[in-house]
Amino acid sequence: MDERDRFEIPKDMRSMAEASFEQARNAFEKFLSGAQTAADSLSARAATIGAGAKDVNAMAFSYAEKNVQAALDYAQALVHAKDLSEAMRLQREYVQAQMRALTEQASEMSQIVGRTAMEAAKPKN
């Protein structure tokens, strides 16, 4: 392997990065827990929120969680890359996976929003 293509992260920096990722992951999990509690509380108190709005809220929350988790996993894998070609492969795989996920998420979200709009437009008897 050509020395120009090889890069190594010193052990101390790698350990510090791994600790930082773990702290970020823990902070994110605490944030999600608090946000979910707040969202549940708001949903419980807001009797006027329709089922569609609850679905959109739950789905957006789920998407945010999945996307941040994917970014954290990618960053952690990148820290362990052994060389530039592996880092580039990880980047390509991450971008491709995120594009697929975002396309799917947008499709699902538009279906729920469309269904909710159709329900709201129905005449009330």
Side-chain angles (χ1 to χ4, degrees):
M1 181 177 309
D2 190 346
E3 285 297 315
R4 290 176 294 163
D5 290 339
R6 184 161 178 78
F7 70 93
E8 291 196 23
I9 298 173
K11 281 187 180 184
D12 291 343
M13 286 185 71
R14 187 182 302 261
S15 295
M16 188 172 68
E18 287 174 355
S20 294
F21 287 128
E22 200 56 41
Q23 288 175 344
R25 193 178 305 272
N26 290 338
F28 179 65
E29 287 171 3
K30 287 179 185 176
F31 167 77
L32 284 177
S33 177
Q36 187 65 52
T37 300
D40 290 346
S41 174
L42 180 62
S43 292
R45 285 185 267 147
T48 58
I49 293 178
K54 287 181 184 178
D55 288 346
V56 168
N57 184 33
M59 188 169 281
F61 193 80
S62 173
Y63 292 159
E65 182 179 7
K66 287 176 185 175
N67 293 337
V68 169
Q69 188 65 46
L72 288 171
D73 291 345
Y74 163 67
Q76 191 166 24
L78 200 56
V79 167
H80 293 285
K82 292 181 180 37
D83 56 33
L84 186 56
S85 65
E86 183 178 2
M88 296 304 292
R89 179 186 55 79
L90 290 169
Q91 171 68 19
R92 183 181 64 253
E93 289 171 358
Y94 171 73
V95 169
Q96 289 172 347
Q98 283 307 105
M99 291 304 293
R100 283 190 303 270
L102 292 172
T103 299
E104 182 179 316
Q105 292 167 4
S107 174
E108 290 173 355
M109 187 66 78
S110 68
Q111 289 174 11
I112 287 180
V113 169
R115 193 168 44 243
T116 301
M118 293 297 288
E119 287 295 320
K122 284 184 181 176
K124 306 266 189 228
N125 292 339

